[in-house]
Amino acid sequence: MISLLAPRGLRPAWIGITAIAAAAILTLFFLYSPRLQTTTSRVVVPDPANHIVTDPSYVDNNTTTKNVSPVVSDASLTNRLAQYFIDYPLHPPYKEHFGELGQRSQVLRDWLTLADHSPESTGKNLLLNATERVAVSLYPFLEKPKGQNATDKPVSDLRASFEPGSAGVVIPTSNNTLRFAAHLVGTMRSVLNSTLPIQIVYAGDEDLSPDDRTRLSRIVESGPPLEFLDILTVFDDSTLQLQTGGWAIKAFAALGSHFERVILADADAVFFQPPEVLLDHEAFVRTGALLFHDRLLWKNVFPERNEWYRSQIRQPSAALDKSLVWTEDYAEEGDSGLVVLDKSRTDILVALFHICWQNSYDVREEVTYKITYGDKETWWLGLELTGATYEFSGHYGGIVGWEQVDSRGRHKPE
């Protein structure tokens, strides 16, 4: 009101004085008002790895934070998280635990990665110890088979068994598929002139007899001699039952082989090019995991399968967003007749743990081989759930033959 009544020439001065006075009053109000004074608040942060809410500002009254090194602080958090995973294992039924195991495995992967890059021994040993304890609790098959010397570092021992820079073809086979394996080995060596080492993997003498192993060895006339691996000497078979597991041996063959880069091929696979070309494939070099599609079949025929995928995969990767199984509800995604993996990459190695778990006896009998067909979907699913990088070939599989319709109205090749 004063400014309005003041002479026209003095009005700007009154406006300036009023503004300064208002600013001073507001400043005093903010400084001395008890409601608006700055306080320290506790920020509660959800941990997505184990769904525990952690409070980083919490301080135990019986401890002190003075002069605590980062290693000691990290040790407490790491050990508590490791003990949580051990104390609260994933029990059957397993159907709803695939995603949870993937999240726990990502923590395992991060610990291994940090340990590999840790410049000092205390932190490195802390992370490796936590990794070993948790890995065995999540994946019991990593323990040594009965009768062999027990070890408290099965993951480190397994990684040490991989020959740095090595690559080779791994062919799981048995007495029943001997003729197919013989054809594949002969083609690679005598027709395609491949010089990659070849390892035949089997589950005990009853699976592939010594006589049949000798027959296979005689096929090789050039290049490195055939290698043989009894997978039962690598992993504890009590939770696996690989002799009667059929497809289940394939994932363990890839994991147990001493090759760092593995070309896993079914015994009845047919190659038209030397397998060496796969190691130079752009997708494999880029991601460390090259997969191949199955035929594009049965859209909307198995809705319960697609719904289950979505219940377990909460954050789909860019690779999965390209999938027609994921985006358009087709039934079949992967074909596991040929899989190429680089186990020197930590994310691929840990994903392979998950893939093997899906093919362990209890899990495959309850879920994996019931919801999907054999092992073929376990590869991309394990890579996806553990956050590993992977790529599929650009096209879905082709079909050669004549179409017939089954009892459910689905077209099938003949």
Side-chain angles (χ1 to χ4, degrees):
M1 294 296 294
I2 296 176
S3 62
L4 292 175
L5 296 175
R8 184 177 300 273
L10 297 176
R11 190 172 296 175
W14 280 105
I15 293 174
I17 294 171
T18 303
I20 293 172
I25 293 171
L26 287 173
T27 300
L28 292 172
F29 176 75
F30 280 113
L31 285 174
Y32 294 101
S33 173
R35 290 182 176 272
L36 296 175
Q37 288 177 3
T38 302
T39 60
T40 301
S41 61
R42 295 169 63 181
V43 180
V44 178
V45 182
D47 182 350
N50 57 2
H51 312 299
I52 299 174
V53 175
T54 58
D55 182 356
S57 68
Y58 171 78
V59 178
D60 192 323
N61 292 329
N62 296 321
T63 63
T64 177
T65 58
K66 293 182 179 180
N67 301 321
V68 176
S69 72
V71 172
V72 174
S73 176
D74 289 345
S76 176
L77 293 173
T78 301
N79 287 328
R80 284 167 58 190
L81 183 55
Q83 197 60 49
Y84 169 80
F85 287 159
I86 294 168
D87 290 343
Y88 297 92
L90 303 179
H91 293 294
Y94 295 109
K95 184 178 179 181
E96 301 305 323
H97 291 329
F98 280 56
E100 172 67 19
L101 182 61
Q103 290 296 307
R104 295 185 181 204
S105 298
Q106 289 187 41
V107 175
L108 202 67
R109 175 204 64 199
D110 291 344
W111 284 345
L112 278 174
T113 302
L114 288 171
D116 288 343
H117 294 87
S118 178
E120 47 86 27
S121 60
T122 303
K124 185 183 187 75
N125 291 335
L126 161 72
L127 292 165
L128 290 177
N129 180 61
T131 296
E132 299 290 358
R133 293 168 57 212
V134 171
V136 170
S137 73
L138 298 179
Y139 305 111
F141 54 80
L142 291 173
E143 291 188 306
K144 289 286 187 181
K146 294 179 180 178
Q148 294 191 19
N149 293 331
T151 175
D152 59 355
K153 49 186 182 66
V155 175
S156 295
D157 290 346
L158 181 64
R159 297 177 81 193
S161 72
F162 305 153
E163 295 180 9
S166 63
V169 179
V170 174
I171 307 173
T173 194
S174 67
N175 298 323
N176 297 329
T177 55
L178 181 68
R179 58 176 293 210
F180 301 113
H183 178 271
L184 177 56
V185 171
T187 300
M188 286 185 177
R189 282 285 189 266
S190 302
V191 178
L192 301 175
N193 299 315
S194 172
T195 58
L196 280 177
I198 300 173
Q199 189 173 52
I200 304 296
V201 181
Y202 60 100
D205 288 345
E206 294 182 7
D207 191 38
L208 185 65
S209 69
D211 288 343
D212 282 343
R213 298 201 294 271
T214 300
R215 291 187 182 95
L216 278 175
S217 297
R218 290 172 180 167
I219 295 173
V220 176
E221 297 179 349
S222 62
L226 281 187
E227 302 177 22
F228 292 90
L229 174 64
D230 181 356
I231 202 66
L232 302 185
T233 65
V234 181
F235 300 113
D236 181 1
D237 193 48
S238 60
T239 62
L240 306 180
Q241 300 188 30
L242 294 180
Q243 279 193 344
T244 58
W247 301 293
I249 193 175
K250 293 165 59 177
F252 295 94
L255 181 60
S257 173
H258 68 88
F259 300 139
E260 196 170 62
R261 291 173 295 162
V262 173
I263 299 173
L264 180 72
D266 280 357
D268 59 353
V270 178
F271 280 74
F272 294 94
Q273 298 182 70
E276 283 90 339
V277 301
L278 293 166
L279 301 175
D280 296 324
H281 195 290
E282 290 183 359
F284 176 67
V285 173
R286 184 164 48 242
T287 67
L290 173 61
L291 307 178
F292 293 86
H293 285 295
D294 198 347
R295 300 154 296 169
L296 192 60
L297 298 172
W298 305 323
K299 184 175 182 178
N300 297 321
V301 173
F302 297 104
E304 66 282 356
R305 181 187 301 177
N306 300 98
E307 291 170 4
W308 177 69
Y309 287 152
R310 289 186 174 86
S311 74
Q312 299 305 299
I313 302 171
R314 305 298 176 84
Q315 297 179 357
S317 67
L320 189 58
D321 283 335
K322 299 176 182 177
S323 162
L324 295 180
V325 169
W326 181 257
T327 59
E328 297 186 22
D329 289 343
Y330 280 91
E332 311 297 326
E333 181 68 273
D335 182 280
S336 60
L338 183 64
V339 177
V340 192
L341 300 173
D342 184 352
K343 296 185 296 184
S344 70
R345 302 194 185 199
T346 307
D347 62 330
I348 304 300
L349 176 64
V350 173
L352 193 47
F353 292 169
H354 195 293
I355 296 164
C356 286
W357 174 83
Q358 294 180 62
N359 287 277
S360 61
Y361 180 77
D362 287 346
V363 181
R364 70 178 184 253
E365 289 298 308
E366 180 210 324
V367 187
T368 313
Y369 292 12
K370 304 298 183 184
I371 293 182
T372 63
Y373 187 76
D375 71 300
K376 69 191 199 67
E377 310 296 350
T378 66
W379 298 88
W380 69 265
L381 187 58
L383 290 158
E384 180 71 29
L385 289 173
T386 58
T389 57
Y390 67 97
E391 285 189 34
F392 273 96
S393 62
H395 303 281
Y396 281 82
I399 301 173
V400 177
W402 294 266
E403 284 191 346
Q404 287 190 348
V405 179
D406 64 13
S407 60
R408 298 181 65 178
R410 300 174 302 185
H411 292 283
K412 63 179 183 179
E414 182 64 27

